[in-house]
Amino acid sequence: MDLRYRGADAQPGRAGPAVSAPGLTGRSVLVTGGASGIGAAMTRAFAAAGAVAGILDLDAAAGEAIAAETGAAFEPCDLRDLDALKAGVARLAERCGPATVLVNNAARDDRHGWAEVTPDYWDERMATNLRHQFFAIQAVAPGMIAAGGGSIVNMGSGSWIQGTPGLPVYGTAKAAVHGLTRTMARELGPHRIRVNTVIPGWVMTERQKELWVTPEKIEGLRARQCLPDLLQPGDLADAVLFLASDAARMITAADLMVDAGAL
């Protein structure tokens, strides 16, 4: 039986990005975790904008599917393995050209109780949700410097701002993304490389609907939001495309909240 809450699907989807993204045509873009959910929406949006999209993702089947759909280049990669991450970035650079846009999107918000967290679990969650963001920046920055500039978008989360229960390690990792963004914006700014954070509210991905969305939670969410509509993956893709594009050429070290006013 399919127990997903269908009320979360009340808004119609749209084809392609809803924002103008000047300067992205032909630009090499790397999206981590770009095979499903919000990442897949980003991959579709960049492809629709004329960018040359590359994906690093652990899910080989989903990666091959989105690559076939969009024409993106896909490389299977466990981002917790830093050698694999560096090799994946290098392979995509050979296929697509050195990335001048990096979207650090990959993450996993598995629920966990604070009393059961072990040091090994802590380290693995940090590797899953934070560490790869820094090392992906380290891997792509030389190519951006050689190209004369670039844009890096780190995906944060509203969960730590709201204090969502059941996510203490995830929330800690996502809070640290803001420090990563601000410090790397300062480090890379002289090379005209911009670094920003996008902070999502609760986005109605298939994973969220399958695991956690209920009518009661949606009612509470709508009560907190200023806007009545539920966030869809495409809403986050639009924000990322804007920050990646030349329309945001003087925006860096910034946090862009896409939460319908809930936080």
Side-chain angles (χ1 to χ4, degrees):
M1 180 183 298
D2 186 352
L3 298 178
R4 291 181 299 169
Y5 175 52
R6 293 299 175 183
D9 296 322
Q11 297 157 252
R14 62 170 182 269
V19 299
S20 175
L24 288 181
T25 300
R27 190 169 294 179
S28 178
V29 176
L30 193 163
V31 182
T32 68
S36 62
I38 297 169
M42 294 174 189
T43 301
R44 294 185 180 100
F46 277 115
V52 181
I55 308 165
L56 294 178
D57 201 293
L58 184 61
D59 188 335
E64 295 292 352
I66 194 72
E69 174 190 340
T70 63
F74 168 65
E75 290 288 340
C77 181
D78 184 342
L79 294 167
R80 296 169 297 185
D81 181 338
L82 297 182
D83 288 336
L85 186 160
K86 293 174 185 177
V89 170
R91 288 193 297 269
L92 287 177
E94 291 176 358
R95 298 175 64 182
C96 306
T100 53
V101 174
L102 167 66
V103 185
N104 271 320
N105 167 71
R108 192 169 177 87
D109 59 346
D110 294 327
R111 271 44 176 180
H112 50 277
W114 63 268
E116 286 75 44
V117 171
T118 65
D120 285 346
Y121 184 82
W122 175 278
D123 290 345
E124 190 277 331
R125 288 293 91 184
M126 289 296 167
T128 297
N129 294 307
L130 175 63
R131 187 178 68 173
H132 64 82
Q133 291 202 11
F134 174 82
F135 286 100
I137 293 172
Q138 187 184 70
V140 303
M144 291 185 179
I145 292 170
S151 175
I152 297 167
V153 182
N154 298 323
M155 295 302 293
S157 172
S159 61
W160 71 272
I161 300 171
Q162 187 177 341
T164 303
L167 290 169
V169 184
Y170 177 81
T172 300
K174 285 300 187 178
V177 170
H178 298 273
L180 175 64
T181 289
R182 292 191 63 83
T183 54
M184 293 310 298
R186 181 64 63 183
E187 296 283 352
L188 298 176
H191 303 288
R192 295 187 176 86
I193 299 171
R194 299 180 293 106
V195 189
N196 294 290
T197 304
V198 169
I199 308 169
W202 196 8
V203 185
M204 297 295 108
T205 64
E206 289 303 309
R207 172 177 162 82
Q208 298 298 312
K209 289 185 283 185
E210 289 170 0
L211 296 178
W212 297 300
V213 171
T214 65
E216 294 76 20
K217 289 181 179 179
I218 291 300
E219 182 179 356
L221 175 64
R222 283 197 161 114
R224 293 193 306 274
Q225 290 186 173
C226 298
L227 301 173
D229 300 324
L230 301 177
L231 286 165
Q232 304 299 323
D235 298 317
L236 276 300
D238 286 343
V240 169
L241 251 68
F242 166 68
L243 289 174
S245 76
D246 291 347
R249 61 178 293 272
M250 294 301 289
I251 299 175
T252 195
D255 296 335
L256 177 54
M257 300 184 77
V258 185
D259 67 330
L263 300 173

